[in-house]
């Protein structure tokens, strides 16, 4: 029997001793106010796999394990775990934990939550990849049984938030909210977790207010008693809010504002690269593209067209003019921080407009063609500006893109209905493993996590075979080779058009002390206001 983690009980005892803050201590605590351009699309923790909301949900809902400051796995609702066989891992649960409504946390909640995340309405099946079932051993012990060995199980579990089974059953929230439907369940606007903060108020597009859970088992580094998150779409307004002191921190200052923010003696900017890659995808499945002047066929099925689109993009111009140098140009769909990245798979096709025109002519489109380009306007750094610039670049080679932008709250449900012809997407990697990207983006759309964000419905039997081997391969050298094979095949096929990895400077008051994370999450456990 192999023991995976042993720190466990000591952390549990420390955490429990730190819980139970007095009302006086809470009253003396501070309010942390932060903002970014994006809105939280839902409070259902298994509904929409969105990095911003996942990070904020972690204030309220906890998982069995999570990351420490070095992105190593640490105990959360599980205090320790051990491998019983190559397909079974046993988790020993933290005792004495209460949900915000006072209900006791038990194994029933873990089994329920894993099953809920595996539901066909869930957008979190990428995190249940390889799980066959969760089995209650006793009230504080759960076995997770796999269909085959899974080398990234623990990293997947960092994103599987635990709900209270009885609360969900009582409030018509047994299944996740369907992202493709306007219908709501109770969990969409309400929350009941075990985390350090509870949800006090959520006004969509206005603000989210969270208050400290006085009975949390753990310990925060600071004395934050309240968190107010405000979505501010306008770049100028977001910057003004920071300069005026209305917010303590801005997650996504625009590159053009960074010089004056760095010069302000009351502020500081903390820099870091994100493990998020920005890219374009194309519909490679439909027999005809809606809104195009090409009838009876789909130009994007031709790799020469996809290559032409790629080579028509002046990526250095975007990095220099749009991103003001705050971007890491890439030829891969994964960033260097992600397991499996290689230099060979990161080489871009050269910017060459003449080559793009020649490829289009060879494909039968000497005069180019029309199509619609869908982009978000409040999700990624300068997302709308990037799409505007690329629209102009494509137009120079005859690719006449009709740009349509919309906020993320409507953009992502539209993506998941597979409506776009060409679209912009950014993909972060919470597991820090290439399987997360390859399975979601390049695997043929099937059940569960396979192709769950393969919006263009790219399909290649060889790619599927390689990805399916990556899922279960435990030999490190073999697995790295397989990942490289998949990334190189992705590049040859131009399954997507990579642009850059985001560089994410965070701007804040000098009084704010926090830890910058490569997954662009403000971890409330480490925030201090001096």
């Amino acid at each position: 029997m192999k023991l995976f983690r042993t720190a466990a009980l000591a952390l549990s005892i420390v955490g429990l001793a730190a819980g139970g803050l007095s009302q006086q201590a809470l009253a003396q605590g501070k309010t942390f106010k932060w903002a970014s351009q994006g809105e939280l699309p839902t409070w259902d923790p298994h509904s929409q796999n969105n990095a911003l909301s996942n990070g904020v949900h972690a204030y309220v809902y906890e998982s069995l394990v999570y990351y420490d400051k070095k992105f190593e796995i640490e105990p959360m609702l599980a205090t320790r775990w051990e491998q019983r066989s190559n397909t079974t891992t046993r988790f020993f649960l933290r005792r004495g934990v209460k949900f915000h409504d006072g209900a006791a946390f038990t194994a029933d909640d873990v089994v329920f939550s894993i099953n809920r995340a595996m539901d066909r309405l869930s957008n979190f099946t990428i995190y249940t990849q390889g799980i066959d079932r969760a089995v209650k051993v006793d009230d504080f012990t759960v076995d997770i049984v796999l269909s085959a060995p899974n080398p990234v199980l623990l990293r997947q579990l960092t994103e599987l938030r635990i709900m209270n089974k009885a609360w969900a059953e009582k409030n018509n929230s047994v299944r996740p909210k369907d992202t493709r439907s306007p219908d709501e369940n109770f969990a969409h606007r309400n929350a009941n977790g075990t985390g350090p903060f509870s949800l006090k108020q959520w006004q969509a597009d206005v603000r989210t207010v969270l208050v400290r859970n006085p009975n949390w088992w753990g310990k925060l580094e600071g004395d934050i008693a309240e968190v107010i998150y405000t979505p501010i779409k306008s770049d100028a307004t977001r910057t003004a809010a920071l300069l005026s002191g209305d917010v303590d921190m801005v997650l996504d200052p625009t590159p053009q504002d960074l010089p004056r923010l760095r010069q302000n003696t009351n502020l500081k900017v903390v820099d870091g690269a994100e493990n998020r890659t920005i890219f374009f995808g194309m519909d490679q499945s439909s027999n005809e593209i809606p809104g195009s002047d090409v009838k009876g066929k789909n130009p994007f099925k031709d790799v020469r067209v996809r290559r032409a689109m790629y080579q028509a993009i002046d990526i250095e111009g975007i990095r220099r003019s749009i991103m003001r140098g705050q971007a890491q140009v890439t030829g891969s769909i994964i960033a260097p921080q992600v397991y499996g990245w290689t230099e060979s798979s990161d080489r871009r096709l050269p910017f060459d407009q003449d080559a793009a025109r020649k490829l289009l002519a060879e494909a039968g489109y000497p005069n180019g063609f029309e199509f619609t380009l869908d982009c978000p306007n409040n999700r990624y750094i300068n997302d709308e500006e990037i799409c505007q610039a690329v629209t102009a670049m494509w137009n120079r080679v005859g690719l006449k893109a009709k740009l349509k932008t919309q906020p993320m709250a409507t953009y992502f449900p539209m993506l998941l209905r597979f409506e776009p012809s060409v679209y912009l997407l950014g993909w972060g990697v919470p597991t820090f493993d290439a399987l997360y990207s390859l399975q979601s983006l390049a695997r043929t759309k099937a059940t569960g996590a396979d192709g769950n964000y393969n919006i263009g419905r790219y399909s290649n039997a060889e790619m599927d075979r390689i990805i399916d081997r990556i899922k279960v391969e435990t030999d490190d050298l073999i697995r790295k080779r397989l990942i490289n094979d998949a990334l190189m095949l992705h590049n040859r096929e131009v399954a997507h058009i990579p642009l850059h990895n985001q560089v994410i400077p965070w701007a804040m008051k000098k009084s704010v002390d926090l830890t910058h994370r490569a997954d662009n999450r403000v971890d409330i456990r480490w925030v201090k206001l001096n």
Side-chain angles (χ1 to χ4, degrees):
M1 185 184 301
K2 182 179 178 182
L3 188 64
F4 267 91
R5 188 77 174 187
T6 56
L9 294 177
L11 285 176
S12 176
I13 293 168
V14 170
L16 286 170
L21 291 179
S22 68
Q23 292 302 318
Q24 181 182 3
L26 286 176
Q28 293 173 349
K30 299 172 182 176
T31 297
F32 175 56
K33 297 172 291 185
W34 66 286
S36 75
Q37 62 181 323
E39 170 56 309
L40 309 180
T42 182
W43 267 95
D44 189 316
H46 305 129
S47 176
Q48 193 166 131
N49 184 18
N50 170 282
L52 174 65
S53 55
N54 290 355
V56 178
H57 286 175
Y59 297 11
V60 173
Y61 288 105
E62 295 179 296
S63 47
L64 292 178
V65 297
Y66 205 45
Y67 291 127
D68 64 14
K69 292 181 180 180
K70 296 181 179 179
F71 287 100
E72 298 294 333
I73 299 295
E74 66 175 355
M76 288 296 280
L77 291 179
T79 57
R80 63 185 179 93
W81 46 93
E82 60 188 30
Q83 189 170 337
R84 310 282 290 183
S85 72
N86 64 355
T87 56
T88 300
T89 303
R90 176 161 291 180
F91 291 84
F92 300 88
L93 306 182
R94 192 176 298 277
R95 295 170 183 262
V97 175
K98 301 286 187 181
F99 285 92
H100 297 152
D101 67 354
F105 161 69
T106 71
D108 291 327
D109 303 307
V110 175
V111 172
F112 166 77
S113 298
I114 291 176
N115 287 336
R116 192 176 191 270
M118 295 171 70
D119 189 282
R120 68 173 184 83
L121 295 181
S122 166
N123 240 307
F124 283 72
T125 51
I126 187 64
Y127 303 113
T128 63
Q129 159 6 68
I131 296 178
D132 179 65
R133 63 191 184 278
V135 180
K136 175 182 176 180
V137 178
D138 59 41
D139 281 348
F140 294 99
T141 311
V142 172
D143 284 348
I144 293 183
V145 182
L146 308 175
S147 55
N150 180 355
V152 291
L153 173 64
L154 291 179
R155 291 187 173 270
Q156 290 175 187
L157 292 177
T158 62
E159 290 299 275
L160 289 183
R161 313 278 179 237
I162 305 302
M163 298 179 72
N164 178 241
K165 178 176 183 286
W167 180 84
E169 291 174 341
K170 176 184 176 182
N171 292 296
N172 190 32
S173 296
V174 171
R175 302 186 72 190
K177 181 193 180 308
D178 187 349
T179 58
R180 293 154 294 192
S181 168
D183 295 340
E184 297 181 5
N185 61 8
F186 188 75
H188 173 63
R189 296 185 180 274
N190 301 274
N192 180 34
T194 59
F197 286 82
S198 60
L199 178 62
K200 178 180 179 181
Q201 180 187 52
W202 178 47
Q203 294 176 273
D205 296 318
V206 179
R207 69 174 188 167
T208 297
V209 180
L210 306 165
V211 294
R212 180 76 180 272
N213 170 18
N215 298 312
W216 186 47
W217 58 268
K219 188 178 188 304
L220 302 179
E221 288 191 359
D223 57 351
I224 306 299
E226 180 182 55
V227 177
I228 299 176
Y229 171 74
T230 305
I232 306 176
K233 181 180 180 297
S234 166
D235 295 339
T237 305
R238 209 160 57 250
T239 299
L242 180 62
L243 291 169
S244 67
D246 288 340
V247 299
D248 300 309
M249 179 212 172
V250 167
L251 185 72
D252 47 5
T254 61
Q256 52 267 36
D257 284 332
L258 285 173
R260 65 169 171 151
L261 294 177
R262 292 185 195 277
Q263 293 170 5
N264 190 305
T265 57
N266 296 317
L267 304 176
K268 63 181 177 181
V269 177
V270 180
D271 295 288
E274 189 181 13
N275 69 352
R276 178 178 305 281
T277 303
I278 308 296
F279 59 87
F280 286 111
M282 301 136 287
D283 180 347
Q284 299 171 54
S285 174
S286 300
N287 292 324
E288 184 176 297
I289 299 298
S292 174
D293 57 355
V294 177
K295 304 301 179 183
K297 62 178 178 178
N298 179 351
F300 303 129
K301 289 187 177 184
D302 193 321
V303 68
R304 293 171 296 186
V305 171
R306 304 196 297 270
R307 184 181 289 260
M309 297 172 74
Y310 191 145
Q311 295 200 251
I313 296 174
D314 179 3
I315 192 63
E316 283 296 335
I318 292 173
R319 187 189 70 83
R320 182 179 60 254
S321 300
I322 306 296
M323 305 305 294
R324 309 291 177 96
Q326 293 291 313
Q328 182 184 64
V329 170
T330 183
S332 177
I333 55 165
I334 63 170
Q337 305 99 312
V338 177
Y339 175 94
W341 178 89
T342 61
E343 288 188 14
S344 59
S345 65
D346 200 34
R347 297 192 184 105
R348 285 188 64 83
L349 290 175
F351 167 54
D352 190 332
Q353 292 180 335
D354 290 336
R357 294 186 188 96
K358 183 178 179 181
L359 284 164
L360 287 172
E362 290 175 357
Y365 307 100
N367 300 315
F369 56 90
E370 295 180 357
F371 58 92
T372 300
L373 167 62
D374 284 284
C375 290
N377 57 23
N378 68 338
R379 178 60 189 100
Y380 313 113
I381 299 174
N382 286 351
D383 44 15
E384 186 171 14
E385 292 85 350
I386 291 168
C387 289
Q388 290 170 342
V390 172
T391 297
M393 294 172 188
W394 280 339
N395 188 62
R396 294 185 192 114
V397 300
L399 294 165
K400 296 173 277 293
K402 297 169 286 186
L403 179 60
K404 183 175 69 175
T405 68
Q406 54 188 305
M408 60 182 285
T410 55
Y411 185 73
F412 283 96
M414 181 272 300
L415 285 183
L416 292 170
R417 294 192 296 267
F418 300 98
E419 294 179 3
S421 298
V422 182
Y423 59 93
L424 181 79
L425 187 62
W427 198 250
V429 188
T431 64
F432 287 80
D433 187 278
L435 174 62
Y436 180 85
S437 298
L438 289 168
Q439 184 179 8
S440 295
L441 303 174
R443 177 67 167 77
T444 298
K445 175 65 178 171
T447 58
D450 287 343
N452 66 336
Y453 261 85
N454 184 354
I455 306 303
R457 288 163 290 175
Y458 163 79
S459 182
N460 180 292
E462 177 64 10
M463 180 70 81
D464 294 347
R465 185 190 67 81
I466 298 172
I467 292 173
D468 288 345
R469 285 193 61 192
I470 294 169
K471 292 177 186 177
V472 299
E473 181 57 62
T474 56
D475 184 290
D476 189 60
L477 291 177
I478 295 174
R479 194 165 186 271
K480 284 183 177 178
R481 176 177 57 78
L482 289 169
I483 290 173
N484 187 66
D485 289 346
L487 293 173
M488 296 300 286
L489 177 59
H490 178 281
N491 292 354
R492 291 194 299 273
E493 292 268 296
V494 192
H496 301 88
I497 301 173
L499 297 176
H500 59 260
N501 303 315
Q502 285 197 152
V503 173
I504 45 170
W506 293 354
M508 65 201 76
K509 296 177 181 177
K510 281 199 169 175
S511 58
V512 177
D513 184 8
L514 47 67
T515 300
H516 189 286
R517 288 175 52 129
D519 57 3
N520 203 25
R521 296 188 184 185
V522 181
D523 195 318
I524 197 62
R525 297 175 298 170
W526 308 327
V527 176
K528 291 182 281 188
L529 299 179
N530 300 317

